[in-house]
Coordinates of all heavy atoms in Angstrom, one line a residue:
Y1 N 8.9 1.8 -7.2 CA 8.6 3.0 -6.1 C 7.2 3.3 -6.1 O 6.6 3.7 -7.1 CB 9.7 4.0 -6.5 CG 9.6 5.2 -5.7 CD1 10.2 5.5 -4.6 CD2 8.8 6.4 -6.4 CE1 10.3 6.7 -4.0 CE2 8.9 7.5 -5.7 CZ 9.7 7.7 -4.5 OH 9.7 8.9 -4.0
D2 N 6.6 3.1 -4.9 CA 5.2 3.3 -4.9 C 4.7 4.8 -4.6 O 5.6 5.5 -4.2 CB 4.6 2.5 -3.6 CG 4.7 0.9 -3.9 OD1 4.6 0.6 -5.0 OD2 4.8 0.3 -3.0
G3 N 3.6 5.2 -5.0 CA 3.0 6.5 -4.7 C 2.8 6.6 -3.2 O 2.4 5.6 -2.5
V4 N 2.9 7.8 -2.6 CA 2.7 8.1 -1.2 C 1.7 9.2 -1.1 O 1.9 10.3 -1.8 CB 3.9 8.4 -0.5 CG1 3.6 8.7 0.9 CG2 4.9 7.2 -0.6
I5 N 0.7 9.0 -0.3 CA -0.4 10.1 -0.1 C -0.6 10.5 1.3 O -0.8 9.5 2.2 CB -1.7 9.7 -0.8 CG1 -1.5 9.3 -2.2 CG2 -2.8 10.7 -0.6 CD1 -2.7 8.5 -2.8
Y6 N -0.4 11.7 1.7 CA -0.7 12.1 3.0 C -1.7 13.3 3.1 O -1.6 14.2 2.4 CB 0.6 12.9 3.6 CG 1.8 12.0 3.7 CD1 2.9 12.2 2.8 CD2 2.0 11.0 4.8 CE1 4.0 11.3 2.9 CE2 3.3 10.3 4.7 CZ 4.2 10.5 3.9 OH 5.3 9.7 3.9
N7 N -2.7 13.0 3.9 CA -3.7 14.0 4.2 C -4.2 14.7 2.8 O -4.0 15.9 2.7 CB -3.2 15.0 5.2 CG -4.4 15.8 5.8 OD1 -5.5 15.4 5.8 ND2 -4.0 17.1 6.1
A8 N -4.6 14.0 1.9 CA -5.0 14.5 0.6 C -6.5 14.0 0.2 O -6.8 12.9 0.6 CB -3.9 14.2 -0.4
S9 N -7.0 14.7 -0.7 CA -8.3 14.3 -1.4 C -8.1 14.1 -2.8 O -7.5 14.9 -3.5 CB -9.4 15.3 -1.1 OG -10.5 15.0 -1.7
L10 N -8.4 12.9 -3.4 CA -8.3 12.5 -4.8 C -9.5 12.2 -5.4 O -10.3 11.4 -4.8 CB -7.3 11.4 -4.9 CG -5.8 11.6 -4.7 CD1 -5.5 11.8 -3.1 CD2 -5.0 10.5 -5.2
A11 N -9.8 12.7 -6.7 CA -11.1 12.3 -7.3 C -10.8 11.1 -8.2 O -9.6 10.7 -8.4 CB -11.4 13.6 -8.2
G12 N -11.8 10.6 -8.8 CA -11.7 9.4 -9.7 C -10.8 9.7 -10.8 O -10.7 10.7 -11.3
G13 N -10.2 8.6 -11.3 CA -9.3 8.7 -12.6 C -7.9 9.1 -12.2 O -7.2 9.3 -13.2
T14 N -7.6 9.5 -11.0 CA -6.3 9.9 -10.7 C -5.3 8.8 -10.7 O -5.6 7.7 -10.1 CB -6.2 10.6 -9.3 OG1 -7.0 11.8 -9.4 CG2 -4.9 11.1 -8.9
V15 N -4.1 9.0 -11.3 CA -3.0 8.0 -11.4 C -1.8 8.5 -10.8 O -1.4 9.5 -11.2 CB -2.8 7.5 -12.8 CG1 -1.7 6.5 -12.9 CG2 -4.1 7.0 -13.4
I16 N -1.2 7.8 -9.7 CA -0.1 8.3 -9.0 C 1.0 7.2 -9.4 O 0.9 6.1 -8.8 CB -0.3 8.5 -7.6 CG1 -1.3 9.7 -7.5 CG2 1.1 8.9 -7.0 CD1 -1.7 9.9 -6.0
K17 N 1.9 7.5 -10.2 CA 3.0 6.4 -10.5 C 4.3 6.9 -9.7 O 5.2 7.2 -10.4 CB 3.2 6.5 -12.1 CG 2.0 6.1 -12.8 CD 2.3 6.1 -14.4 CE 3.4 5.1 -14.7 NZ 3.7 5.0 -16.0
G18 N 4.3 6.6 -8.5 CA 5.5 6.8 -7.7 C 5.7 8.3 -7.2 O 6.7 8.6 -6.7
G19 N 4.7 9.1 -7.4 CA 4.8 10.5 -6.9 C 4.4 10.5 -5.3 O 3.8 9.6 -4.9
V20 N 4.5 11.7 -4.8 CA 4.1 11.9 -3.4 C 3.1 13.1 -3.4 O 3.4 14.2 -4.0 CB 5.3 12.3 -2.5 CG1 5.0 12.7 -1.1 CG2 6.4 11.1 -2.4
V21 N 2.1 13.0 -2.6 CA 1.0 14.0 -2.5 C 0.9 14.2 -1.0 O 0.7 13.4 -0.2 CB -0.3 13.5 -3.2 CG1 -1.3 14.6 -3.0 CG2 -0.1 13.2 -4.6
K22 N 1.0 15.6 -0.6 CA 0.9 15.9 0.7 C -0.1 17.1 0.9 O 0.1 18.1 0.1 CB 2.2 16.3 1.4 CG 3.3 15.3 1.5 CD 4.5 15.9 2.0 CE 5.6 14.8 2.1 NZ 6.9 15.5 2.6
H23 N -1.0 17.1 1.7 CA -2.0 18.2 2.1 C -2.5 18.8 0.9 O -2.4 20.1 0.7 CB -1.2 19.1 2.9 CG -0.5 18.6 4.1 ND1 -1.2 18.0 5.2 CD2 0.8 18.3 4.4 CE1 -0.2 17.6 6.0 NE2 0.9 17.8 5.5
S24 N -3.1 18.1 -0.1 CA -3.5 18.7 -1.4 C -4.8 18.1 -1.8 O -5.3 17.1 -1.3 CB -2.4 18.4 -2.5 OG -1.2 18.9 -2.2
I25 N -5.4 18.7 -2.8 CA -6.8 18.3 -3.4 C -6.4 18.1 -4.9 O -5.9 19.0 -5.6 CB -7.8 19.4 -3.3 CG1 -8.1 19.6 -1.8 CG2 -9.1 19.0 -3.9 CD1 -9.0 20.8 -1.4
L26 N -6.6 16.9 -5.4 CA -6.4 16.6 -6.8 C -7.8 16.2 -7.4 O -8.5 15.3 -7.1 CB -5.5 15.4 -6.9 CG -4.2 15.4 -6.2 CD1 -3.3 14.2 -6.4 CD2 -3.5 16.7 -6.6
S27 N -8.2 16.9 -8.5 CA -9.5 16.6 -9.1 C -9.4 15.5 -10.1 O -8.3 14.9 -10.1 CB -9.8 18.0 -10.0 OG -10.0 19.1 -9.1
A28 N -10.4 15.3 -10.9 CA -10.3 14.0 -11.7 C -9.4 14.0 -12.8 O -9.0 15.1 -13.3 CB -11.8 14.1 -12.3
W29 N -9.0 12.8 -13.2 CA -8.1 12.5 -14.3 C -6.8 13.2 -14.2 O -6.3 13.7 -15.4 CB -8.8 12.8 -15.7 CG -10.2 12.2 -15.7 CD1 -11.4 12.8 -15.5 CD2 -10.6 10.8 -15.7 NE1 -12.5 12.0 -15.6 CE2 -12.0 10.6 -15.6 CE3 -9.7 9.6 -15.7 CZ2 -12.6 9.5 -15.6 CZ3 -10.4 8.4 -15.8 CH2 -11.7 8.4 -15.6
L30 N -6.2 13.1 -13.2 CA -4.8 13.6 -13.0 C -3.8 12.4 -13.2 O -4.1 11.2 -12.9 CB -4.5 14.3 -11.7 CG -4.8 15.8 -11.6 CD1 -6.2 16.0 -11.6 CD2 -4.2 16.3 -10.3
R31 N -2.6 12.9 -13.4 CA -1.5 11.9 -13.6 C -0.3 12.4 -13.0 O 0.3 13.5 -13.5 CB -1.2 11.5 -15.1 CG -0.3 10.4 -15.3 CD -0.2 10.0 -16.9 NE 0.7 9.0 -17.0 CZ 0.3 7.7 -17.0 NH1 -1.0 7.4 -16.7 NH2 1.1 6.7 -17.2
L32 N 0.3 11.7 -12.0 CA 1.6 12.2 -11.3 C 2.5 11.0 -11.7 O 2.4 10.0 -11.3 CB 1.4 12.3 -9.8 CG 0.9 13.7 -9.3 CD1 -0.5 13.8 -9.8 CD2 1.0 13.7 -7.8
E33 N 3.6 11.4 -12.4 CA 4.7 10.5 -12.8 C 5.8 10.2 -11.6 O 5.7 11.0 -10.6 CB 5.4 11.1 -14.0 CG 4.4 11.2 -15.2 CD 4.0 9.9 -15.8 OE1 4.6 8.9 -15.5 OE2 3.0 10.0 -16.6
H34 N 6.7 9.4 -11.9 CA 7.7 9.0 -10.9 C 8.5 10.0 -10.5 O 8.8 11.1 -11.1 CB 8.6 8.0 -11.7 CG 9.7 7.6 -10.9 ND1 9.8 6.7 -9.9 CD2 11.1 8.0 -10.9 CE1 10.8 6.5 -9.3 NE2 11.7 7.4 -9.9
A35 N 8.6 10.0 -9.0 CA 9.4 11.0 -8.2 C 8.8 12.4 -8.2 O 9.6 13.4 -8.0 CB 10.8 11.1 -8.7
S36 N 7.6 12.7 -8.7 CA 6.9 14.0 -8.6 C 6.5 14.3 -7.2 O 6.2 13.4 -6.4 CB 5.8 14.1 -9.6 OG 4.7 13.2 -9.3
L37 N 6.4 15.6 -6.8 CA 5.9 16.0 -5.5 C 4.9 17.1 -5.7 O 5.1 18.0 -6.3 CB 7.2 16.4 -4.7 CG 6.9 17.2 -3.4 CD1 6.1 16.1 -2.3 CD2 8.1 17.7 -2.7
V38 N 3.8 16.8 -5.0 CA 2.7 18.0 -4.8 C 2.5 18.2 -3.5 O 2.0 17.3 -2.7 CB 1.5 17.4 -5.7 CG1 0.4 18.4 -5.6 CG2 1.8 17.2 -7.2
E39 N 2.6 19.3 -2.9 CA 2.2 19.6 -1.7 C 1.6 20.9 -1.3 O 1.9 21.9 -2.1 CB 3.5 19.5 -0.6 CG 4.6 20.4 -1.1 CD 5.8 20.1 0.0 OE1 5.6 19.9 1.1 OE2 6.9 20.3 -0.5
D40 N 0.6 21.0 -0.5 CA -0.2 22.2 -0.2 C -0.7 22.8 -1.5 O -0.6 24.1 -1.6 CB 0.6 23.2 0.6 CG 1.3 22.5 1.9 OD1 0.5 21.8 2.5 OD2 2.4 22.8 2.2
S41 N -1.3 22.0 -2.4 CA -1.7 22.5 -3.7 C -3.1 21.9 -4.1 O -3.6 21.1 -3.5 CB -0.7 22.1 -4.8 OG 0.5 22.6 -4.5
I42 N -3.7 22.7 -5.1 CA -4.9 22.2 -5.7 C -4.8 22.1 -7.1 O -4.2 23.1 -7.8 CB -6.0 23.2 -5.4 CG1 -6.3 23.5 -3.9 CG2 -7.4 22.8 -6.0 CD1 -7.3 24.7 -3.6
L43 N -5.1 20.9 -7.7 CA -4.9 20.6 -9.1 C -6.3 20.3 -9.6 O -6.9 19.4 -9.1 CB -3.9 19.6 -9.3 CG -2.4 19.8 -9.2 CD1 -2.0 20.4 -7.8 CD2 -1.6 18.7 -9.6
F44 N -6.6 21.0 -10.7 CA -7.9 20.8 -11.4 C -7.8 19.6 -12.4 O -6.8 19.1 -12.6 CB -8.5 22.1 -11.9 CG -8.8 23.1 -10.9 CD1 -8.1 24.0 -10.4 CD2 -10.3 23.0 -10.3 CE1 -8.4 25.0 -9.4 CE2 -10.7 23.9 -9.4 CZ -9.7 24.8 -8.9
D45 N -8.9 19.4 -13.0 CA -9.0 18.2 -14.0 C -8.0 18.2 -15.0 O -7.5 19.2 -15.6 CB -10.4 18.3 -14.7 CG -11.6 18.1 -13.8 OD1 -11.4 17.7 -12.7 OD2 -12.7 18.3 -14.2
N46 N -7.6 17.0 -15.4 CA -6.7 16.8 -16.6 C -5.4 17.4 -16.5 O -4.8 17.9 -17.5 CB -7.4 17.1 -17.8 CG -8.7 16.2 -18.1 OD1 -8.5 15.0 -18.1 ND2 -9.8 17.0 -18.3
V47 N -4.7 17.4 -15.3 CA -3.5 17.8 -15.1 C -2.5 16.8 -15.2 O -2.8 15.7 -14.6 CB -3.3 18.8 -13.9 CG1 -1.9 19.1 -13.5 CG2 -4.1 20.0 -14.0
T48 N -1.3 16.9 -15.8 CA -0.3 16.0 -15.7 C 0.9 16.5 -15.0 O 1.3 17.6 -15.4 CB 0.1 15.3 -17.1 OG1 -1.0 14.8 -17.7 CG2 1.3 14.5 -17.1
V49 N 1.5 15.8 -14.0 CA 2.7 16.3 -13.4 C 3.8 15.4 -13.8 O 3.9 14.1 -13.5 CB 2.6 16.4 -11.9 CG1 3.9 16.9 -11.2 CG2 1.4 17.3 -11.4
G50 N 4.9 16.0 -14.6 CA 5.9 15.0 -15.1 C 6.7 14.5 -14.0 O 6.8 15.0 -12.9
A51 N 7.7 13.5 -14.5 CA 8.6 12.9 -13.6 C 9.6 14.0 -12.9 O 10.2 14.8 -13.6 CB 9.4 11.9 -14.3
G52 N 9.7 13.9 -11.6 CA 10.5 14.7 -10.9 C 10.2 16.2 -10.7 O 10.9 17.0 -10.2
A53 N 8.9 16.5 -11.2 CA 8.4 17.9 -11.1 C 8.0 18.1 -9.6 O 7.5 17.1 -8.9 CB 7.3 18.1 -12.0
K54 N 8.1 19.2 -9.1 CA 7.7 19.6 -7.8 C 6.7 20.9 -7.7 O 7.1 21.9 -8.3 CB 8.9 19.8 -6.8 CG 9.9 18.7 -6.7 CD 11.1 19.0 -6.0 CE 11.9 17.8 -5.8 NZ 13.1 18.0 -5.1
L55 N 5.7 20.7 -7.0 CA 4.8 21.8 -6.9 C 4.5 22.0 -5.3 O 4.1 21.1 -4.7 CB 3.4 21.5 -7.6 CG 3.4 21.1 -9.0 CD1 2.0 20.7 -9.4 CD2 3.9 22.3 -9.8
K56 N 4.6 23.2 -5.0 CA 4.3 23.6 -3.6 C 3.5 24.9 -3.6 O 4.0 25.9 -4.1 CB 5.6 23.9 -2.9 CG 5.6 24.1 -1.3 CD 6.8 24.2 -0.7 CE 6.7 24.4 0.8 NZ 8.1 24.4 1.4
R57 N 2.4 24.9 -2.8 CA 1.4 26.0 -2.7 C 1.1 26.5 -4.0 O 1.2 27.7 -4.4 CB 2.0 27.1 -1.7 CG 2.3 26.6 -0.4 CD 2.8 27.7 0.4 NE 1.8 28.7 0.3 CZ 1.5 29.7 1.1 NH1 2.2 29.8 2.1 NH2 0.6 30.6 0.9
C58 N 0.6 25.5 -4.9 CA 0.2 25.9 -6.3 C -1.3 25.7 -6.4 O -1.8 24.8 -5.9 CB 0.9 25.1 -7.2 SG 2.6 25.6 -7.4
I59 N -1.9 26.5 -7.3 CA -3.2 26.2 -7.9 C -3.0 26.0 -9.4 O -2.5 26.8 -10.1 CB -4.3 27.1 -7.6 CG1 -4.5 27.5 -6.1 CG2 -5.5 26.9 -8.3 CD1 -5.2 28.7 -5.8
V60 N -3.3 24.8 -9.8 CA -3.0 24.5 -11.3 C -4.4 24.3 -12.0 O -5.2 23.4 -11.6 CB -2.1 23.3 -11.5 CG1 -1.9 23.1 -13.0 CG2 -0.8 23.5 -10.7
D61 N -4.7 25.0 -12.9 CA -6.0 25.0 -13.5 C -6.0 23.9 -14.6 O -5.1 23.1 -14.7 CB -6.4 26.4 -14.4 CG -7.9 26.6 -14.5 OD1 -8.7 25.6 -14.4 OD2 -8.2 27.7 -14.9
K62 N -7.2 23.6 -15.2 CA -7.5 22.5 -16.0 C -6.6 22.4 -17.3 O -6.1 23.4 -17.7 CB -8.9 22.6 -16.7 CG -10.0 22.4 -15.5 CD -11.4 22.6 -16.2 CE -12.4 22.4 -15.1 NZ -13.8 22.4 -15.7
H63 N -6.2 21.2 -17.6 CA -5.6 21.0 -18.9 C -4.1 21.5 -19.0 O -3.7 21.9 -20.0 CB -6.3 21.4 -20.2 CG -7.7 20.9 -20.1 ND1 -8.2 19.6 -20.3 CD2 -8.9 21.6 -19.9 CE1 -9.4 19.5 -20.1 NE2 -10.0 20.8 -19.9
V64 N -3.3 21.3 -17.9 CA -2.0 21.7 -17.8 C -1.1 20.6 -17.8 O -1.5 19.6 -17.1 CB -1.7 22.8 -16.7 CG1 -0.2 23.1 -16.5 CG2 -2.6 24.0 -16.9
K65 N 0.0 20.6 -18.4 CA 1.1 19.6 -18.4 C 2.2 20.1 -17.9 O 2.9 20.9 -18.5 CB 1.2 19.0 -19.8 CG 2.2 17.9 -19.9 CD 2.3 17.3 -21.2 CE 1.7 15.9 -21.2 NZ 1.8 15.3 -22.4
I66 N 2.5 19.8 -16.6 CA 3.7 20.3 -15.9 C 4.9 19.5 -16.3 O 4.8 18.1 -16.2 CB 3.6 20.2 -14.3 CG1 2.4 20.9 -13.8 CG2 4.9 20.6 -13.7 CD1 2.3 22.4 -13.9
P67 N 5.9 20.0 -17.0 CA 7.0 19.2 -17.6 C 7.9 18.4 -16.6 O 7.9 18.9 -15.4 CB 7.9 20.3 -18.4 CG 7.2 21.5 -18.2 CD 6.2 21.4 -17.3
E68 N 8.5 17.4 -17.0 CA 9.5 16.8 -16.2 C 10.6 17.6 -15.6 O 11.2 18.5 -16.2 CB 10.2 15.7 -17.1 CG 11.1 14.8 -16.5 CD 11.8 13.8 -17.5 OE1 10.9 13.3 -18.2 OE2 12.9 13.5 -17.4
G69 N 10.8 17.5 -14.3 CA 11.8 18.3 -13.6 C 11.4 19.7 -13.3 O 12.2 20.5 -12.7
E70 N 10.2 20.2 -13.6 CA 9.8 21.6 -13.4 C 9.6 21.7 -12.0 O 9.2 20.9 -11.3 CB 8.4 21.9 -14.2 CG 7.8 23.2 -14.0 CD 8.6 24.3 -14.5 OE1 9.3 24.1 -15.6 OE2 8.6 25.5 -14.1
T71 N 9.8 23.0 -11.4 CA 9.5 23.3 -10.0 C 8.7 24.6 -10.1 O 9.1 25.7 -10.7 CB 10.7 23.5 -9.1 OG1 11.6 24.5 -9.8 CG2 11.6 22.3 -9.0
N72 N 7.6 24.7 -9.3 CA 6.8 25.8 -9.1 C 6.5 25.9 -7.6 O 6.1 25.0 -6.9 CB 5.5 25.6 -9.8 CG 5.6 25.6 -11.4 OD1 5.2 24.6 -12.0 ND2 6.4 26.6 -11.9
G73 N 6.7 27.2 -7.1 CA 6.3 27.3 -5.7 C 7.6 27.4 -4.7 O 7.5 27.6 -3.6
Y74 N 8.8 27.2 -5.3 CA 10.0 27.2 -4.5 C 10.8 28.5 -4.8 O 11.5 28.9 -4.0 CB 10.9 26.0 -4.9 CG 10.2 24.7 -4.5 CD1 9.2 24.0 -5.2 CD2 10.6 24.1 -3.3 CE1 8.6 22.9 -4.9 CE2 9.8 23.1 -2.8 CZ 8.9 22.3 -3.7 OH 8.3 21.3 -3.1
D75 N 10.7 29.1 -6.0 CA 11.4 30.3 -6.4 C 10.4 31.3 -6.8 O 10.1 31.4 -8.0 CB 12.4 30.1 -7.4 CG 13.3 31.3 -7.7 OD1 12.9 32.4 -7.4 OD2 14.2 31.2 -8.4
L76 N 9.7 32.1 -5.7 CA 8.7 32.9 -6.1 C 8.9 34.0 -7.1 O 8.2 34.4 -7.9 CB 7.9 33.5 -4.9 CG 7.4 32.4 -3.9 CD1 6.7 33.1 -2.7 CD2 6.4 31.6 -4.7
E77 N 10.2 34.5 -7.1 CA 10.6 35.6 -8.0 C 10.5 35.0 -9.4 O 10.0 35.6 -10.3 CB 12.0 36.0 -7.7 CG 12.0 37.0 -6.5 CD 11.0 38.1 -6.4 OE1 10.8 38.9 -7.6 OE2 10.3 38.3 -5.4
R78 N 11.1 33.8 -9.6 CA 11.0 33.1 -11.0 C 9.6 33.0 -11.3 O 9.2 33.1 -12.5 CB 11.8 31.9 -10.9 CG 11.7 31.1 -12.2 CD 12.6 29.9 -12.2 NE 12.4 29.0 -13.4 CZ 11.7 27.9 -13.4 NH1 11.2 27.4 -12.4 NH2 11.6 27.2 -14.6
D79 N 8.7 32.5 -10.4 CA 7.3 32.1 -10.7 C 6.6 33.5 -11.0 O 5.7 33.4 -11.9 CB 6.7 31.5 -9.5 CG 7.2 30.0 -9.2 OD1 7.6 29.3 -10.2 OD2 7.1 29.6 -8.2
R80 N 6.9 34.6 -10.4 CA 6.3 35.8 -10.7 C 6.4 36.2 -12.3 O 5.6 36.9 -12.8 CB 6.7 36.9 -9.9 CG 5.9 36.9 -8.5 CD 6.4 38.1 -7.7 NE 5.7 38.0 -6.4 CZ 6.3 37.5 -5.3 NH1 7.6 37.1 -5.4 NH2 5.7 37.4 -4.1
Q81 N 7.6 35.9 -12.8 CA 7.8 36.2 -14.2 C 6.9 35.4 -15.2 O 6.7 35.8 -16.3 CB 9.2 35.9 -14.6 CG 10.3 36.8 -13.8 CD 11.7 36.5 -13.9 OE1 12.0 35.5 -14.7 NE2 12.6 37.0 -13.3
R82 N 6.4 34.3 -14.7 CA 5.6 33.4 -15.6 C 4.2 33.3 -15.2 O 3.3 32.9 -16.0 CB 6.3 32.0 -15.7 CG 7.8 32.0 -16.0 CD 8.4 30.7 -16.0 NE 8.2 30.0 -14.9 CZ 8.4 28.7 -14.5 NH1 8.6 27.9 -15.7 NH2 8.3 28.1 -13.5
F83 N 4.0 33.4 -13.9 CA 2.5 33.1 -13.5 C 2.0 34.2 -12.6 O 2.8 35.2 -12.1 CB 2.5 31.8 -12.6 CG 3.1 30.5 -13.3 CD1 4.4 30.1 -12.9 CD2 2.6 30.1 -14.6 CE1 4.8 29.0 -13.5 CE2 3.2 29.1 -15.3 CZ 4.4 28.6 -14.7
T84 N 0.8 34.1 -12.1 CA 0.3 35.0 -10.9 C 0.7 34.4 -9.6 O 0.7 33.3 -9.4 CB -1.2 35.1 -11.0 OG1 -1.7 35.6 -12.3 CG2 -1.7 36.0 -9.9
V85 N 1.3 35.2 -8.8 CA 1.6 34.8 -7.4 C 0.9 35.7 -6.4 O 1.1 36.9 -6.5 CB 3.1 34.8 -7.1 CG1 3.5 34.4 -5.7 CG2 3.9 33.9 -8.3
S86 N 0.1 35.1 -5.5 CA -0.7 35.8 -4.5 C 0.3 36.5 -3.6 O 1.5 36.2 -3.5 CB -1.8 35.1 -3.8 OG -1.0 34.3 -2.9
E87 N -0.3 37.5 -2.8 CA 0.4 38.2 -1.7 C 1.0 37.2 -0.7 O 2.0 37.4 0.0 CB -0.4 39.2 -0.9 CG -0.8 40.4 -1.9 CD -1.6 41.3 -1.2 OE1 -1.8 41.2 0.1 OE2 -2.1 42.3 -1.7
N88 N 0.2 36.0 -0.5 CA 0.7 35.0 0.4 C 1.5 33.9 -0.1 O 1.8 32.9 0.5 CB -0.6 34.3 1.1 CG -1.4 35.3 1.8 OD1 -0.8 36.1 2.5 ND2 -2.6 35.1 1.7
G89 N 2.0 34.1 -1.5 CA 2.9 33.1 -2.1 C 2.3 31.9 -2.7 O 2.9 31.0 -2.9
V90 N 1.0 32.1 -3.1 CA 0.5 31.0 -3.8 C 0.5 31.2 -5.3 O 0.2 32.3 -5.7 CB -1.1 30.6 -3.4 CG1 -1.7 29.7 -4.2 CG2 -1.2 30.6 -1.9
V91 N 1.1 30.2 -6.0 CA 1.4 30.3 -7.4 C 0.1 29.8 -8.1 O -0.3 28.6 -8.0 CB 2.6 29.5 -7.9 CG1 2.9 29.6 -9.3 CG2 3.9 30.0 -7.0
V92 N -0.3 30.5 -9.1 CA -1.5 30.1 -9.9 C -1.1 29.9 -11.2 O -0.7 30.9 -12.0 CB -2.5 31.3 -9.8 CG1 -3.9 30.8 -10.6 CG2 -3.0 31.6 -8.5
V93 N -1.2 28.7 -11.8 CA -0.8 28.3 -13.2 C -2.2 28.2 -13.9 O -3.0 27.4 -13.6 CB -0.1 27.0 -13.1 CG1 0.3 26.7 -14.6 CG2 1.1 27.1 -12.4
G94 N -2.4 29.1 -14.9 CA -3.6 29.2 -15.5 C -4.0 28.1 -16.5 O -3.1 27.3 -16.9
R95 N -5.2 28.1 -16.9 CA -5.7 26.9 -17.9 C -5.0 26.9 -19.2 O -4.8 28.0 -19.8 CB -7.2 27.2 -18.1 CG -7.8 26.1 -19.0 CD -9.2 26.4 -19.2 NE -10.0 26.4 -17.9 CZ -11.3 26.2 -17.8 NH1 -12.1 26.0 -18.9 NH2 -11.8 26.2 -16.7
G96 N -4.6 25.8 -19.5 CA -4.0 25.5 -20.8 C -2.6 26.1 -21.0 O -2.1 26.2 -22.1
V97 N -1.9 26.5 -19.8 CA -0.5 27.1 -19.9 C 0.4 26.0 -20.6 O 0.4 24.8 -20.4 CB 0.0 27.4 -18.6 CG1 1.4 27.6 -18.6 CG2 -0.7 28.8 -18.2
V98 N 1.2 26.4 -21.5 CA 2.2 25.6 -22.2 C 3.6 26.0 -21.8 O 4.0 27.2 -21.9 CB 2.0 25.5 -23.8 CG1 3.2 24.8 -24.4 CG2 0.7 25.2 -24.2
F99 N 4.4 25.1 -21.2 CA 5.8 25.4 -20.8 C 6.6 25.4 -21.9 O 6.5 24.6 -22.9 CB 6.1 24.5 -19.8 CG 5.4 24.6 -18.4 CD1 4.1 24.1 -18.2 CD2 6.0 25.4 -17.4 CE1 3.5 24.4 -17.0 CE2 5.4 25.5 -16.1 CZ 4.1 25.1 -16.0
D100 N 7.8 26.2 -21.9 CA 8.8 26.1 -23.0 C 9.7 25.0 -22.8 O 10.0 24.6 -21.8 CB 9.5 27.5 -22.9 CG 8.6 28.7 -23.3 OD1 7.7 28.4 -24.0 OD2 8.9 29.8 -23.0

C-alpha cells in the first residue's frame, strides 16, 4: 500500500510508509507508518506518526511520537483534556509529549 500526498510540503528525510498526507506541512526527519492520516496539519522535526493514527488540524512540535491508532483533532473535548486547543479548533501537541 503506497503513500499518498495531496497538496503538501515535505522536507528532506521524511518517510511515508503507506500513510496519507493532505494539505499539510511536514518538517525534516518525519516518519508516517502504514494507514496513518495527516490532514490540514503542521508537523515539526523528528515526529513519528504510528500505524493507523489520524491527525486533523494539528500542530505537532519536535520529537513527538504519536502512537499507533491515536486520533487527534477529531474529538476536541477529549483533546482539550490533554493538549492546548485554539478557539478555531487547532490542536497543539507540545514538544516531547509522551502518550500513555
Side-chain angles (χ1 to χ4, degrees):
Y1 172 84
D2 293 329
V4 179
I5 303 165
Y6 298 101
N7 195 27
S9 177
L10 286 75
T14 297
V15 175
I16 300 175
K17 295 181 67 180
V20 176
V21 179
K22 297 179 182 179
H23 313 288
S24 297
I25 299 171
L26 306 183
S27 296
W29 308 110
L30 268 73
R31 184 175 186 89
L32 275 66
E33 297 293 342
H34 175 73
S36 60
L37 172 63
V38 175
E39 56 184 324
D40 303 317
S41 297
I42 300 171
L43 279 60
F44 288 93
D45 296 348
N46 294 308
V47 170
T48 299
V49 180
K54 296 179 181 179
L55 303 176
K56 182 176 184 178
R57 297 188 54 158
C58 292
I59 298 173
V60 181
D61 206 345
K62 296 178 179 181
H63 310 292
V64 173
K65 185 177 248 182
I66 306 292
E68 183 175 318
E70 177 70 29
T71 59
N72 299 122
Y74 293 88
D75 181 347
L76 295 181
E77 288 308 312
R78 178 177 176 257
D79 291 336
R80 278 188 184 94
Q81 295 173 7
R82 305 180 303 159
F83 311 113
T84 301
V85 179
S86 76
E87 291 179 13
N88 296 325
V90 176
V91 178
V92 179
V93 180
R95 182 180 300 200
V97 165
V98 177
F99 289 79
D100 295 334

